């Protein structure tokens, strides 16, 4: 798959490292909100096996404060420029704002990762004109209120139908199918039961015929099930990541890159050694 001037073979599962340059993200807010700290963290994640660095300048956790376009640009553009200048990796911009998409792609991003699936004003056009790949995420409601009683007829079918429509909207706007990823949006407008029903039925989303990106790392669906605080969710996150891989996920968006990269290698070994028998 092409990410502007970079290309990755997604027949091999890949790891995306999360880099939140925010003061208030749910897991690592405030840890990497200086340029030096952000670049150092990107370097560490790349060394540990990250194929993507996902840069975000606005928290989408429930109840998080909105951020202006100017403030988001001030947070993410210097970081993207610095990573692009230092490392040969795919940079993803985690945003829903059209101008941030445009400026981030001009600065070196090759993937637009949008929790609102390019539904904000100007986003679809900005993404199309950027030439970058896009990731369309399912979310019921808006980030600040999405956990207020989410309901579905059938969570797997409803998520799949939404993503299918958004894929078609992208194609209609001039974005080629081979530049589209989808994310089922674990934790975004979904109860604990919805999240695990979605995880169980994840393989059905392969019927969309685009690569699947999954983000489960440290989320409340892990914490609530295990009764674990954020810093004690690694084992649960790796278990969920492994299940996702075995159900067809191509990219895992995570905080704990080294441990997840190890899990990817173990799962990938199943196919490698199976091939040797044939």
């Amino acid at each position: 798959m092409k990410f502007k001037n970079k290309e990755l073979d997604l027949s091999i599962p890949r790891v995306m490292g999360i880099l939140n340059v925010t003061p208030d993200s749910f897991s690592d807010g405030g840890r990497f909100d200086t340029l030096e700290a952000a670049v150092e963290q990107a370097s560490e994640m790349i060394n540990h096996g990250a194929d993507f660095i996902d840069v975000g300048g606005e928290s989408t956790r429930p109840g998080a404060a909105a951020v202006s376009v100017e403030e988001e640009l001030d947070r993410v553009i210097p970081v993207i420029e610095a990573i692009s200048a230092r490392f040969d990796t795919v940079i993803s911009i985690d945003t829903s704002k059209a101008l941030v998409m445009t400026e981030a792609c001009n600065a070196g991003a090759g993937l637009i990762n949008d929790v609102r699936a390019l539904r904000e004003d100007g986003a679809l056009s900005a993404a199309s004109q950027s030439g970058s790949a896009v990731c369309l995420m399912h979310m019921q409601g808006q980030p600040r209120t999405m956990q207020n009683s989410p309901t579905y007829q059938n969570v797997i079918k409803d998520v799949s139908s939404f993503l299918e429509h958004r894929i078609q909207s992208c194609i209609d706007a001039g974005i080629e199918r081979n530049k589209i990823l989808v994310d089922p949006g674990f934790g975004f407008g979904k109860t604990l039961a919805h999240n695990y029903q979605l995880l169980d039925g994840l393989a059905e989303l392969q019927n969309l015929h685009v690569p699947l990106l999954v983000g489960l790392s440290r989320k409340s669906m892990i914490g609530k099930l295990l009764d674990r605080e954020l810093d004690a969710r690694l084992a649960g996150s790796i278990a969920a990541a492994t299940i996702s891989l075995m159900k067809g996920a191509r990219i895992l968006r995570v905080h704990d890159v080294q441990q997840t990269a190890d899990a990817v290698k173990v799962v990938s070994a199943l196919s490698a050694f199976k091939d040797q028998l044939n």
Side-chain angles (χ1 to χ4, degrees):
M1 188 171 189
K2 280 197 171 182
F3 301 89
K4 290 197 82 170
N5 60 340
K6 294 181 174 63
E7 190 169 320
L8 278 179
D9 178 4
L10 295 186
S11 68
I12 302 167
R14 302 290 182 171
V15 176
M16 172 182 281
I18 298 169
L19 183 60
N20 290 316
V21 290
T22 60
D24 58 347
S25 290
F26 87 95
S27 178
D28 52 6
R31 291 187 60 199
F32 311 116
D33 57 355
T34 67
L35 182 60
E36 182 180 3
V39 172
E40 183 177 342
Q41 175 66 1
S43 177
E44 181 175 319
M45 290 192 291
I46 292 166
N47 288 335
H48 285 164
D51 300 291
F52 298 83
I53 300 296
D54 189 46
V55 180
E58 179 177 19
S59 174
T60 51
R61 65 175 175 78
V67 172
S68 70
V69 173
E70 292 76 15
E71 186 171 5
E72 191 172 343
L73 286 169
D74 288 344
R75 291 176 178 178
V76 302
I77 298 304
V79 173
I80 292 170
E81 289 176 339
I83 295 172
S84 180
R86 290 167 174 79
F87 308 107
D88 183 25
T89 192
V90 179
I91 301 169
S92 168
I93 176 63
D94 181 358
T95 189
S96 296
K97 298 182 179 73
L99 183 58
V100 177
M101 293 174 188
T102 299
E103 293 302 320
C105 291
N106 289 340
L111 173 64
I112 295 167
N113 183 19
D114 185 5
V115 300
R116 294 178 176 84
L118 303 178
R119 289 180 291 162
E120 294 293 285
D121 289 345
L124 195 55
S125 176
S128 178
Q129 292 175 27
S130 74
S132 295
V134 300
C135 182
L136 311 170
M137 196 194 80
H138 174 274
M139 173 174 58
Q140 188 178 101
Q142 293 294 322
R144 286 148 195 90
T145 57
M146 62 190 174
Q147 291 306 110
N148 296 345
S149 303
T151 57
Y152 296 88
Q153 292 292 321
N154 180 301
V155 66
I156 299 163
K157 291 181 180 178
D158 291 355
V159 168
S160 181
S161 177
F162 170 86
L163 292 172
E164 186 174 23
H165 281 97
R166 293 312 300 158
I167 289 168
Q168 190 58 53
S169 295
C170 287
I171 292 170
D172 292 344
I175 300 172
E176 299 171 1
R177 178 178 282 273
N178 61 10
K179 289 185 177 180
I180 300 173
L181 304 160
V182 293
D183 178 348
F186 287 100
F188 282 79
K190 298 169 183 74
T191 64
L192 186 65
H194 292 146
N195 283 313
Y196 282 96
Q197 289 164 2
L198 190 57
L199 181 59
D200 184 51
L202 199 60
E204 294 185 33
L205 296 185
Q206 292 186 71
N207 294 330
L208 295 169
H209 303 295
V210 295
L212 180 62
L213 182 150
V214 169
L216 293 154
S217 179
R218 301 182 185 174
K219 288 194 171 177
S220 62
M221 64 179 284
I222 308 293
K224 288 179 181 178
L225 183 74
L226 303 178
D227 191 23
R228 296 283 191 270
E229 296 300 323
L230 279 166
D231 61 355
R233 297 178 185 176
L234 176 59
S237 296
I238 297 299
T242 302
I243 294 168
S244 300
L245 289 171
M246 298 185 76
K247 290 180 177 288
R250 298 290 87 197
I251 302 171
L252 299 173
R253 182 180 181 273
V254 303
H255 301 86
D256 303 293
V257 169
Q258 186 174 40
Q259 297 89 337
T260 307
D262 285 349
V264 168
K265 289 176 183 176
V266 171
V267 174
S268 297
L270 297 178
S271 296
F273 289 117
K274 183 178 178 180
D275 290 342
Q276 291 181 16
L277 294 173
N278 299 326

